[in-house]
Amino acid sequence: FFAALAPRLPRQAFNDARLSAGLPPISASVSLALALVGLDGPRVTPRALLDALARLVGVGRDAPVRMREETRTVLRTGLAGAAAYGSASLLAARGLTALAKTGTAPMPRGGMEGLLVALVPAERPIRGIVVVAPGAAGLDAAGMAADLLLQPPPAPSVSARAPVVSAPPASRPVVSVRVGMLRADGRVRVETLPLEDYVARVLAGEGQPRAGRAAQEALAIAIRTFALANRNRHRREGFDLCDSTHCQVLRPSTPATQRAAETTAGRLLVSEGAPAFVFYSAWCGGRSARPSEVWPGAEDYAVESPLDDDACTEEPAWASELNVRDLEQALRSAGLRGSRLRDLRVVARSPSGRVARLRADGFSPNEIPGHELRMAIGRVAGWQHVKSTAFDLRRTGRGYRFAGRGFGHGVGLCVVGAGHRAAAGATAEDILRFYYPGLQIGRADTTAVALSRAEAAKEERVAPASSSDVLLALPAADASERVHVVNLVRAARDEIAKRAGVTPPASVRITVHPSAESFGRATGQPWWVSGATLGRSIDLLPIRVLRQRGQLERTIRHEMAHVLIDPPLESRPLWVREGAAFYFAAPDAPAVAARRVSCPTDAELSRPLSAGSQRDAYARADACFRNALAQGKSWREVK
């Protein structure tokens, strides 16, 4: 059936559907007929399959796949029927209801393989399961799933020396962690670890082996807090956290790290009753940075200026030299365009003295944030060259010399400084109060209740406005902005609708989030994105953050353009929709000269490697769209 459908289905429409379900697109070299039945194409994780099923049926926190509700009802009815009387009916035979899909497929090297993907129960799913059964059929996979679902969850294994936690064993927190990089076949190895085992292993990877007990315990609390606050960081890939510096590095635990994890079990840093978004670095270089210096929009829990940390001022400075070719490659990997670097110099520093922006003559755009350059150099040439953004820069005969202090971003707890403070007699609480002055130490077994109360209070603070055409949800801190934001939304809506010749929707919903973290959790967008649109609903960063970036009106116009323009362009590539949004948000921008430009792929726009690479993809989408208009096409004809 699906193979017969293949010739009728445009590849781009199929890929758009896959992307909206959180699955990677099918490349042009893959047979669409084989991809439709799952015999070719990119591999995906079990978690990605569950997320895709949840999006299709419209459950969970991720945005659902766009379809008519009557279509979704038919889909849910069919999936429930599969578990009740179809190929997954062994679930019903064991008293389970589910939204389920089975598959039985021949394998390339012979034999069969059965698959089941299911959400349980059908009425209100709270659990998901994926079963792969080599040498069996989908029906067999359904039977295995029933057996697994009916087993009581195992209690996590903890050391006999661990203190008693008030939560029952089956509800103790666990995290799923990617172990190792992607293999050639696209698969990863994922381990599910009890939280305290995870803390002990990260402490072995991130801490100082010979640091005093107080330093180990302080870092253990920071590690646990990071894990709980970022638990869904990689949920689209099928796990919670990775084992690299993007999240937290794991190593085999030691008796010292196990003792620190057990001694501090359940303790974490809390903001408004929820695990705080905290950071730590290897060595701050003598002065710590505020989170917003490195990640614009990140929450600064304390109002103090950057902290002078005299505990690590005796550490030696570092220096390295990079040739021009490596720097050019790093700039290109960060999304800048150019072939020859003529000059590189610092043009702005942050309040803590770190490099905020550099000018790269010969590249476009010709400026790059210091943190992005450091990350790009680390990926291209190795992390030992530019250890932090607290550096001075000068030209040499072969390239550029970087001389600085510190190792890492310098935000939050300084591992080296904590070690020195512990040696001088500080307690773990003393260390945490110094590096996180705006936070309190709470317990994981009470945070769930506090978090639910905090979320309920937050909902009360962001009640939507009563006007029927613009439903605006604002946090209490931005209440004074209500009239101004509503006026901006209405003005953008009316102007863009008139220019485009479209009828505006009867209402649009705007949600202004209280923090960048809240925006990221709701939309899945990285920190550098200002707004996100789904249908008639727009999510925005906090008003103060948009004002700081000088992007309040521009972001509202861009997202409102998506609300009005996306429906007629629904089947087009993503660059067409983004280009149209840029055009209608700023139609009087300078015309783009007719030139060849590489239009970005959907992946470049939806899954960028960095803020710079996404800026480049947006600029190319804008240029492609305006060039098409310059050739005499109407906006509805651009493909």
Side-chain angles (χ1 to χ4, degrees), residues 494-573:
D494 296 344
E495 180 189 334
I496 295 171
K498 182 178 179 180
R499 283 181 178 268
V502 298
T503 301
S507 65
V508 61
R509 184 182 184 91
I510 316 290
T511 300
V512 177
H513 289 269
S515 67
E517 290 78 11
S518 170
F519 172 81
R521 277 194 294 262
T523 64
Q525 297 294 328
W527 62 265
W528 61 77
V529 173
S530 300
T533 297
L534 179 65
R536 299 178 183 179
S537 297
I538 296 173
D539 289 84
L540 298 175
L541 284 174
I543 299 297
R544 59 178 175 78
V545 175
L546 292 175
R547 287 193 186 281
Q548 289 169 0
R549 297 183 181 182
Q551 294 178 351
L552 176 58
E553 183 174 358
R554 186 194 322 171
T555 300
I556 288 175
R557 289 180 62 86
H558 185 91
E559 300 307 324
M560 182 53 65
H562 273 300
V563 170
L564 298 168
I565 303 302
D566 278 4
L569 302 177
E570 186 174 5
S571 63
R572 311 294 170 82

Side-chain angles (χ1 to χ4, degrees), residues 46-201:
R47 181 57 184 265
L49 288 176
L50 283 174
D51 285 344
L53 181 59
R55 286 182 170 195
L56 285 165
V57 300
V59 301
R61 294 184 176 181
D62 287 335
V65 175
R66 187 182 300 173
M67 66 179 75
R68 294 191 299 271
E69 280 308 308
E70 54 266 33
T71 303
R72 200 182 310 277
T73 299
V74 172
L75 178 62
R76 289 182 66 115
T77 301
L79 292 168
Y85 50 79
S87 57
S89 58
L90 288 179
L91 292 169
R94 303 293 299 276
L96 297 167
T97 65
L99 302 173
K101 181 71 181 78
T102 63
T104 305
M107 292 295 100
R109 297 181 181 178
M112 305 296 288
E113 188 162 274
L115 172 72
L116 173 117
V117 185
L119 300 171
V120 180
E123 300 76 20
R124 189 178 180 184
I126 59 172
R127 288 192 292 171
I129 188 168
V130 176
V131 174
V132 178
L139 184 64
D140 302 304
M144 297 176 189
D147 292 338
L148 291 168
L149 289 166
L150 292 171
Q151 288 179 6
S157 58
V158 295
S159 167
R161 294 175 294 164
V164 175
V165 181
S166 61
S171 65
R172 290 176 186 165
V174 296
V175 291
S176 60
V177 186
R178 183 198 73 190
V179 181
M181 302 302 292
L182 284 169
R183 301 202 302 257
D185 62 2
R187 296 182 177 180
V188 297
R189 182 163 67 91
V190 176
E191 290 186 13
T192 300
L193 303 174
L195 179 60
E196 302 311 333
D197 289 0
Y198 171 79
V199 170
R201 290 181 61 177

Side-chain angles (χ1 to χ4, degrees), residues 245 333 370-380 383:
T245 53
S333 76
H371 177 65
E372 284 190 28
L373 179 65
R374 185 177 82 87
M375 299 300 289
I377 290 173
R379 289 192 296 265
V380 169
W383 303 101

Side-chain angles (χ1 to χ4, degrees), residues 62 84 100 159 172 245 248 295 318 327 330 334 355 389 502 555 581 594 624 634:
D62 287 335
S159 167
R172 290 176 186 165
T245 53
Q248 301 188 111
W295 305 282
W318 54 263
L327 283 170
V355 173
T389 55
V502 298
T555 300
C624 283
S634 74

